[in-house]
Amino acid sequence: MRSPRRIVASAIAIVFLSVYVLNGVLILASRRTADPESLRLWLSGGMVLYLIYHAVRCVWTDKQVDMEYTAAENLWIGGAPISRSLFAGYKVTNLLFSSALKTFFLAIALAPDVQHGGLLAIGVFAALVMLETVRISWQRFVTGISKRDQGFWRISLTLVAIAAVVSFFAELVQITPPGSAPGIYLMQSFPAIGNVASSPCVQCLALPWQPAALLATSPEISSQTFSQLVASISLIPAGIVLMVRVDRWANRSRLCRERIALANGTYKQVDQISPAREASKRTLLDTVTERLPSQTHDTLALVWRQALSVRRYFGTIAFSFCVPTLLCLSPLLTGRVSNQWAFVVAGIALCTMLLAPPALRIDFRRDLKRMLLLRGLPLNPIHTVLGQMLLPILITITFQITTLLIAAAIVHPGWSQIIGWGGMLSALAVFTFATENALFLAYPHHEHAQGLGMVVRANVMFLGKATLIAAAVGALLLWVHVCRSLFSESYIAPIYISGAIAGTWALAIAAVIVTSWCWRRFDLASDLPPE
């Protein structure tokens, strides 16, 4: 409990919470307040937009987690002599605590926009609890439907998501003057999202959250406030009842399908792999292994294991990178040639640091329950680290190079820009995944963990990445100034590019070495978090 790592983590959490509250009191209180009606529409519509995103992601995921319980909870609570309804309702305790934490942060951010902070907290808390219960209810609903129905929902929800994206871009084009800089488009994207959330179609879907949104933004306490309060509080038990009923239906539906499959003799049929296909796989692995040095065979074995996961989730991974690619290339639609390339590069860097790590968790972060197996392998720590991280890094670099080449074909920035930024962005990918895995090995957590620690962890990671991006931009500007001061005009470009690439790759290699050190010091007895 008094280890340096825990002391540092606790100190960072206390500093973050103190700065966040101080920022809410001093800075947010002095900003211009939002219109209560617009705030109400944003609150209710924002819940629906999040649900659309989660519904699409959930329906396209083949494997669903049962109520997001850990293995210990499934063993001890699922095996206890209690009803399934009580087992499903137990999840609400975690939902209430996490929703209360989110309410705390949102209440501080929105306090200057409302008249009554208490009503704001109650309304936001009720809306968040309803959001989480509906999210889990949809997750359980997907497990209970057949393959044919799942195909129907995939097509339907994908069309809904496409319509929402098209509406967003239509609003963005409408509210932004033609020919504006990409930075203006970026700043106008937030009002565009608010306009989509305020649209009549989204507000019709947001009907269950209307009482909570009305209560949170109520300008005065009246007779209607009491009815809104009762309706908002009623959302909590209504969401719990919905989750329990959907869970019961999903279990019955799955049991019915399993009985039918058993009666038809198709229960758990396993696709038989032909001997020729199996031999071709082994021949390919042997061929690749023979052509590489013997020092890389251990790393290749782990990479091959990760490649099986990539093949299984190839559709999900490809979809996860299609949207970032379109977002990075969106500055090319602004019609301004002067700074389009800079915004494309900045978008790739942001997607590399913020979106790629959550989308590609095929490294140590996925293997928390397999740490005993990984520690038991007779591998050098650096080989283990490289084998775990190499595939997600290569996928991210492929995304970077593809986006850069598409943008270069339109903007024509020159080969020096392509080579320079390609080298630096690839080093950024290595640095990002090495840092993510080093932090995970230092402070491991379960995949669906919730609580104060996870909320603070997410916010601190976001602020840390933003600080690193700002520091990298400052370092590059300083390096430009040094090159212009010391070298002649003809040598500035090659020296700047080579120095920038060498510096970024030195940091990336250092991050990999730190990750290897963290893996070497990882202790199964004390570092594994409890179930």
Side-chain angles (χ1 to χ4, degrees), residues 341 401 404-405 408-409 412-424:
W341 177 255
I401 300 300
L404 278 178
L405 291 179
H412 304 290
W415 284 106
S416 60
Q417 291 284 329
I418 298 174
I419 295 174
W421 286 113
M424 286 185 282

PDB file of all heavy atoms in Angstrom, residues 341 401 404-405 408-409 412-424:
ATOM      1  N   TRP A 341      -2.068  20.557 -45.478  1.00  0.00           N
ATOM      2  CA  TRP A 341      -1.130  19.488 -45.123  1.00  0.00           C
ATOM      3  C   TRP A 341      -0.842  19.480 -43.632  1.00  0.00           C
ATOM      4  O   TRP A 341      -0.767  18.406 -43.012  1.00  0.00           O
ATOM      5  CB  TRP A 341       0.157  19.666 -45.924  1.00  0.00           C
ATOM      6  CG  TRP A 341       1.231  18.687 -45.600  1.00  0.00           C
ATOM      7  CD1 TRP A 341       2.362  18.910 -44.882  1.00  0.00           C
ATOM      8  CD2 TRP A 341       1.274  17.313 -45.986  1.00  0.00           C
ATOM      9  NE1 TRP A 341       3.120  17.771 -44.799  1.00  0.00           N
ATOM     10  CE2 TRP A 341       2.473  16.768 -45.465  1.00  0.00           C
ATOM     11  CE3 TRP A 341       0.425  16.489 -46.715  1.00  0.00           C
ATOM     12  CZ2 TRP A 341       2.837  15.447 -45.662  1.00  0.00           C
ATOM     13  CZ3 TRP A 341       0.784  15.160 -46.908  1.00  0.00           C
ATOM     14  CH2 TRP A 341       1.972  14.655 -46.387  1.00  0.00           C
ATOM     15  N   ILE A 401       0.640   5.916 -43.045  1.00  0.00           N
ATOM     16  CA  ILE A 401       1.213   6.023 -44.386  1.00  0.00           C
ATOM     17  C   ILE A 401       0.111   6.137 -45.438  1.00  0.00           C
ATOM     18  O   ILE A 401       0.217   6.921 -46.391  1.00  0.00           O
ATOM     19  CB  ILE A 401       2.125   4.822 -44.672  1.00  0.00           C
ATOM     20  CG1 ILE A 401       3.280   4.781 -43.651  1.00  0.00           C
ATOM     21  CG2 ILE A 401       2.665   4.881 -46.086  1.00  0.00           C
ATOM     22  CD1 ILE A 401       4.150   6.018 -43.673  1.00  0.00           C
ATOM     23  N   LEU A 404      -1.299   9.658 -45.262  1.00  0.00           N
ATOM     24  CA  LEU A 404      -0.319  10.622 -45.778  1.00  0.00           C
ATOM     25  C   LEU A 404      -0.221  10.574 -47.304  1.00  0.00           C
ATOM     26  O   LEU A 404      -0.163  11.609 -47.971  1.00  0.00           O
ATOM     27  CB  LEU A 404       1.053  10.358 -45.165  1.00  0.00           C
ATOM     28  CG  LEU A 404       1.327  10.925 -43.770  1.00  0.00           C
ATOM     29  CD1 LEU A 404       2.718  10.518 -43.319  1.00  0.00           C
ATOM     30  CD2 LEU A 404       1.192  12.441 -43.754  1.00  0.00           C
ATOM     31  N   LEU A 405      -0.213   9.369 -47.867  1.00  0.00           N
ATOM     32  CA  LEU A 405      -0.084   9.242 -49.316  1.00  0.00           C
ATOM     33  C   LEU A 405      -1.315   9.782 -50.036  1.00  0.00           C
ATOM     34  O   LEU A 405      -1.205  10.417 -51.091  1.00  0.00           O
ATOM     35  CB  LEU A 405       0.161   7.787 -49.690  1.00  0.00           C
ATOM     36  CG  LEU A 405       1.522   7.206 -49.277  1.00  0.00           C
ATOM     37  CD1 LEU A 405       1.632   5.749 -49.686  1.00  0.00           C
ATOM     38  CD2 LEU A 405       2.658   8.018 -49.872  1.00  0.00           C
ATOM     39  N   ALA A 408      -0.989  13.487 -49.798  1.00  0.00           N
ATOM     40  CA  ALA A 408       0.105  13.974 -50.641  1.00  0.00           C
ATOM     41  C   ALA A 408      -0.266  13.954 -52.113  1.00  0.00           C
ATOM     42  O   ALA A 408       0.183  14.811 -52.890  1.00  0.00           O
ATOM     43  CB  ALA A 408       1.348  13.120 -50.406  1.00  0.00           C
ATOM     44  N   ALA A 409      -1.098  12.986 -52.517  1.00  0.00           N
ATOM     45  CA  ALA A 409      -1.521  12.938 -53.917  1.00  0.00           C
ATOM     46  C   ALA A 409      -2.392  14.126 -54.296  1.00  0.00           C
ATOM     47  O   ALA A 409      -2.489  14.491 -55.470  1.00  0.00           O
ATOM     48  CB  ALA A 409      -2.269  11.636 -54.174  1.00  0.00           C
ATOM     49  N   HIS A 412       0.339  17.660 -52.804  1.00  0.00           N
ATOM     50  CA  HIS A 412       1.691  17.687 -53.372  1.00  0.00           C
ATOM     51  C   HIS A 412       2.659  18.501 -52.495  1.00  0.00           C
ATOM     52  O   HIS A 412       3.195  19.530 -52.896  1.00  0.00           O
ATOM     53  CB  HIS A 412       1.679  18.284 -54.781  1.00  0.00           C
ATOM     54  CG  HIS A 412       0.743  17.586 -55.723  1.00  0.00           C
ATOM     55  ND1 HIS A 412       0.962  16.310 -56.195  1.00  0.00           N
ATOM     56  CD2 HIS A 412      -0.439  17.993 -56.268  1.00  0.00           C
ATOM     57  CE1 HIS A 412      -0.029  15.949 -56.991  1.00  0.00           C
ATOM     58  NE2 HIS A 412      -0.891  16.948 -57.055  1.00  0.00           N
ATOM     59  N   PRO A 413       2.917  18.038 -51.253  1.00  0.00           N
ATOM     60  CA  PRO A 413       3.801  18.807 -50.369  1.00  0.00           C
ATOM     61  C   PRO A 413       5.285  18.617 -50.662  1.00  0.00           C
ATOM     62  O   PRO A 413       6.110  19.380 -50.157  1.00  0.00           O
ATOM     63  CB  PRO A 413       3.457  18.243 -48.989  1.00  0.00           C
ATOM     64  CG  PRO A 413       3.059  16.830 -49.272  1.00  0.00           C
ATOM     65  CD  PRO A 413       2.394  16.828 -50.610  1.00  0.00           C
ATOM     66  N   GLY A 414       5.655  17.594 -51.393  1.00  0.00           N
ATOM     67  CA  GLY A 414       7.067  17.323 -51.651  1.00  0.00           C
ATOM     68  C   GLY A 414       7.528  16.096 -50.884  1.00  0.00           C
ATOM     69  O   GLY A 414       7.007  15.761 -49.812  1.00  0.00           O
ATOM     70  N   TRP A 415       8.554  15.410 -51.442  1.00  0.00           N
ATOM     71  CA  TRP A 415       9.028  14.180 -50.816  1.00  0.00           C
ATOM     72  C   TRP A 415       9.664  14.428 -49.457  1.00  0.00           C
ATOM     73  O   TRP A 415       9.641  13.551 -48.585  1.00  0.00           O
ATOM     74  CB  TRP A 415      10.015  13.488 -51.750  1.00  0.00           C
ATOM     75  CG  TRP A 415       9.350  12.789 -52.893  1.00  0.00           C
ATOM     76  CD1 TRP A 415       9.320  13.176 -54.199  1.00  0.00           C
ATOM     77  CD2 TRP A 415       8.592  11.585 -52.811  1.00  0.00           C
ATOM     78  NE1 TRP A 415       8.590  12.290 -54.946  1.00  0.00           N
ATOM     79  CE2 TRP A 415       8.133  11.290 -54.116  1.00  0.00           C
ATOM     80  CE3 TRP A 415       8.249  10.722 -51.774  1.00  0.00           C
ATOM     81  CZ2 TRP A 415       7.348  10.178 -54.402  1.00  0.00           C
ATOM     82  CZ3 TRP A 415       7.466   9.606 -52.057  1.00  0.00           C
ATOM     83  CH2 TRP A 415       7.033   9.338 -53.356  1.00  0.00           C
ATOM     84  N   SER A 416      10.272  15.567 -49.261  1.00  0.00           N
ATOM     85  CA  SER A 416      10.890  15.839 -47.955  1.00  0.00           C
ATOM     86  C   SER A 416       9.839  15.866 -46.849  1.00  0.00           C
ATOM     87  O   SER A 416      10.068  15.348 -45.744  1.00  0.00           O
ATOM     88  CB  SER A 416      11.639  17.175 -48.006  1.00  0.00           C
ATOM     89  OG  SER A 416      10.745  18.245 -48.312  1.00  0.00           O
ATOM     90  N   GLN A 417       8.669  16.466 -47.131  1.00  0.00           N
ATOM     91  CA  GLN A 417       7.587  16.492 -46.143  1.00  0.00           C
ATOM     92  C   GLN A 417       7.049  15.090 -45.887  1.00  0.00           C
ATOM     93  O   GLN A 417       6.783  14.710 -44.734  1.00  0.00           O
ATOM     94  CB  GLN A 417       6.470  17.406 -46.638  1.00  0.00           C
ATOM     95  CG  GLN A 417       6.825  18.874 -46.666  1.00  0.00           C
ATOM     96  CD  GLN A 417       6.815  19.481 -45.278  1.00  0.00           C
ATOM     97  OE1 GLN A 417       6.053  19.066 -44.400  1.00  0.00           O
ATOM     98  NE2 GLN A 417       7.662  20.459 -45.060  1.00  0.00           N
ATOM     99  N   ILE A 418       6.880  14.315 -46.950  1.00  0.00           N
ATOM    100  CA  ILE A 418       6.332  12.963 -46.785  1.00  0.00           C
ATOM    101  C   ILE A 418       7.277  12.086 -45.973  1.00  0.00           C
ATOM    102  O   ILE A 418       6.873  11.395 -45.024  1.00  0.00           O
ATOM    103  CB  ILE A 418       6.055  12.341 -48.169  1.00  0.00           C
ATOM    104  CG1 ILE A 418       5.019  13.170 -48.934  1.00  0.00           C
ATOM    105  CG2 ILE A 418       5.575  10.896 -48.021  1.00  0.00           C
ATOM    106  CD1 ILE A 418       4.791  12.706 -50.351  1.00  0.00           C
ATOM    107  N   ILE A 419       8.581  12.118 -46.336  1.00  0.00           N
ATOM    108  CA  ILE A 419       9.555  11.288 -45.622  1.00  0.00           C
ATOM    109  C   ILE A 419       9.721  11.763 -44.183  1.00  0.00           C
ATOM    110  O   ILE A 419       9.758  10.955 -43.233  1.00  0.00           O
ATOM    111  CB  ILE A 419      10.903  11.314 -46.365  1.00  0.00           C
ATOM    112  CG1 ILE A 419      10.755  10.662 -47.739  1.00  0.00           C
ATOM    113  CG2 ILE A 419      11.981  10.606 -45.549  1.00  0.00           C
ATOM    114  CD1 ILE A 419      11.993  10.772 -48.601  1.00  0.00           C
ATOM    115  N   GLY A 420       9.812  13.085 -43.995  1.00  0.00           N
ATOM    116  CA  GLY A 420      10.012  13.605 -42.639  1.00  0.00           C
ATOM    117  C   GLY A 420       8.859  13.282 -41.706  1.00  0.00           C
ATOM    118  O   GLY A 420       9.052  12.717 -40.624  1.00  0.00           O
ATOM    119  N   TRP A 421       7.640  13.623 -42.128  1.00  0.00           N
ATOM    120  CA  TRP A 421       6.496  13.372 -41.259  1.00  0.00           C
ATOM    121  C   TRP A 421       6.179  11.883 -41.159  1.00  0.00           C
ATOM    122  O   TRP A 421       5.704  11.415 -40.112  1.00  0.00           O
ATOM    123  CB  TRP A 421       5.284  14.137 -41.758  1.00  0.00           C
ATOM    124  CG  TRP A 421       5.367  15.604 -41.487  1.00  0.00           C
ATOM    125  CD1 TRP A 421       5.485  16.607 -42.386  1.00  0.00           C
ATOM    126  CD2 TRP A 421       5.351  16.226 -40.201  1.00  0.00           C
ATOM    127  NE1 TRP A 421       5.549  17.827 -41.762  1.00  0.00           N
ATOM    128  CE2 TRP A 421       5.463  17.617 -40.404  1.00  0.00           C
ATOM    129  CE3 TRP A 421       5.260  15.747 -38.893  1.00  0.00           C
ATOM    130  CZ2 TRP A 421       5.480  18.530 -39.352  1.00  0.00           C
ATOM    131  CZ3 TRP A 421       5.278  16.655 -37.843  1.00  0.00           C
ATOM    132  CH2 TRP A 421       5.390  18.024 -38.083  1.00  0.00           C
ATOM    133  N   GLY A 422       6.428  11.124 -42.224  1.00  0.00           N
ATOM    134  CA  GLY A 422       6.242   9.677 -42.132  1.00  0.00           C
ATOM    135  C   GLY A 422       7.153   9.054 -41.091  1.00  0.00           C
ATOM    136  O   GLY A 422       6.722   8.208 -40.294  1.00  0.00           O
ATOM    137  N   GLY A 423       8.420   9.466 -41.062  1.00  0.00           N
ATOM    138  CA  GLY A 423       9.336   8.938 -40.058  1.00  0.00           C
ATOM    139  C   GLY A 423       8.977   9.351 -38.656  1.00  0.00           C
ATOM    140  O   GLY A 423       9.037   8.538 -37.717  1.00  0.00           O
ATOM    141  N   MET A 424       8.579  10.614 -38.470  1.00  0.00           N
ATOM    142  CA  MET A 424       8.234  11.075 -37.125  1.00  0.00           C
ATOM    143  C   MET A 424       6.928  10.468 -36.628  1.00  0.00           C
ATOM    144  O   MET A 424       6.802  10.114 -35.449  1.00  0.00           O
ATOM    145  CB  MET A 424       8.158  12.604 -37.113  1.00  0.00           C
ATOM    146  CG  MET A 424       9.513  13.294 -37.181  1.00  0.00           C
ATOM    147  SD  MET A 424       9.411  15.087 -37.024  1.00  0.00           S
ATOM    148  CE  MET A 424       8.871  15.536 -38.673  1.00  0.00           C
TER     149      MET A 424
END
